Amino acid sequence: HARWLCVQPGRVNNMTKPVQVTMWRLLAQGLCLLPIVVLLRHRLRGAMFSPVVALSGLLVMITLTSLVTAFSVMPIATAIAIFFAEPLILTLLAGPLLGEVAGPRRYAAVGVGLVGALIVIRPGFSEFGLATLLPLVAATAYALNMIVLRRACATRSGLTVQCGATVYAALGMVVAVGALYAADVVELAPLTRPAWTWGAILGCGAFAAASFVLIAEAFRHAEATTLAPFQYLEIVGATAAGFLVFSEFPDGLTWLGVAIIFGSGAYIVHRERQRDARVPRRRRGGR
């Protein structure tokens, strides 16, 4: 949805479209969260608006803006392949920030995975230039947000955190777009867009609202290093969407990098399962 909206012709500068798409996407996400909040209001627990939730909202803004901008200038599968560094970054950060130490073998797997990410990025050789760093920025912000969510959900429900973060992020993007418009940097797209445009935005918001709540609940009940590798399933949807909608398909080097990243992630999952089988939960430590 985001890629399609950004590449549509129009009077608005293509480099400013991602910012506006991100704003509308977050507003749609907030709108789609409203019925969920009404239906699941008994699951709201803790403060919805607080500094830690505001930090989550800021990280959501950075993640989405970086990814949507990347989608507008490079194939979806390539951007997602670079974004796959997120589980590796999360594994690195989970030790110092969450106390979930991964151990030397899994850290070695992370190092190998980051080499795979460099193959995909190909600094200095990629036709997309510095834009290849945008998915890496998004991956780092997303990993940090997963840690913030884990901390915030210790005293709040996942639904509470996601609702608050969505409000903060949506308002933050409205302020950002308004400031850019006032500075004559952004020319706002007209509201008289085709019906399919608003349908795409609402659909994106609905998927985001559902998935973000599920992610928050998952990280509330399981360790970050256990859940992180499941992010790799995104390559299936990203590649299929890029091929079917935009006739894009990753080149050989991109697939090589993806294979290395995927292999390192699979090894991390294997080591985590071994640890789960051998060590009682209260005594778990890294190896």
Side-chain angles (χ1 to χ4, degrees):
H1 285 160
R3 172 68 187 278
W4 183 261
L5 290 169
C6 286
V7 299
Q8 293 306 298
R11 294 169 55 245
V12 181
N13 188 305
N14 283 336
M15 294 310 295
T16 66
K17 282 184 179 180
V19 179
Q20 297 184 56
V21 169
T22 302
M23 178 189 71
W24 286 114
R25 186 256 201 222
L26 284 168
L27 289 172
Q29 179 178 327
L31 180 64
C32 293
L33 273 175
L34 283 177
I36 298 178
V37 171
V38 173
L39 290 173
L40 302 177
R41 56 187 178 276
H42 61 281
R43 298 189 62 182
L44 293 174
R45 178 175 58 86
M48 184 176 294
F49 303 108
S50 66
V52 68
V53 180
L55 176 58
S56 177
L58 175 62
L59 291 170
V60 168
M61 289 173 58
I62 296 172
T63 300
L64 290 180
T65 303
S66 300
L67 268 184
V68 173
T69 305
F71 291 159
S72 69
V73 297
M74 68 175 64
I76 294 175
T78 300
I80 291 296
I82 300 171
F83 184 73
F84 276 175
E86 181 272 324
L88 308 176
I89 296 171
L90 180 55
T91 301
L92 289 175
L93 296 176
L97 298 181
L98 289 178
E100 299 174 5
V101 181
R105 294 185 182 182
R106 277 180 286 169
Y107 283 137
V110 168
V112 172
L114 291 177
V115 171
L118 286 175
I119 292 176
V120 178
I121 296 173
R122 279 167 265 175
F125 300 96
S126 172
E127 61 182 292
F128 306 110
L130 292 177
T132 55
L133 296 179
L134 289 171
L136 199 58
V137 172
T140 302
Y142 189 87
L144 286 170
N145 192 35
M146 292 302 98
I147 291 174
V148 170
L149 287 176
R150 184 69 183 273
R151 290 293 191 187
C153 287
T155 56
R156 302 166 178 82
S157 66
L159 182 60
T160 299
V161 175
Q162 286 299 345
C163 288
T166 297
V167 171
Y168 277 120
L171 290 178
M173 288 306 303
V174 169
V175 171
V177 171
L180 291 174
Y181 176 73
D184 203 25
V185 175
V186 169
E187 180 185 357
L188 295 179
L191 295 178
T192 56
R193 307 286 295 179
W196 69 263
T197 302
W198 300 111
I201 290 174
L202 286 174
C204 191
F207 279 116
S211 62
F212 274 36
V213 171
L214 292 174
I215 288 172
E217 287 299 306
F219 275 84
R220 181 170 172 262
H221 295 287
E223 289 188 356
T225 50
T226 301
L227 296 172
F230 287 96
Q231 304 288 334
Y232 296 117
L233 294 175
E234 291 181 36
I235 189 61
V236 178
T239 302
F243 180 73
L244 294 175
V245 180
F246 301 104
S247 299
E248 299 169 345
F249 200 74
D251 59 22
L253 280 178
T254 298
W255 280 117
L256 174 61
V258 169
I260 293 174
I261 297 171
F262 183 84
S264 65
Y267 180 77
I268 290 174
V269 172
H270 171 69
R271 294 297 298 178
E272 185 65 30
R273 288 178 176 174
Q274 283 188 331
R275 189 183 70 164
D276 288 346
R278 296 177 184 177
V279 184
R281 187 174 185 85
R282 66 176 180 273
R283 294 176 54 193
R284 286 180 186 173
R287 286 202 307 275

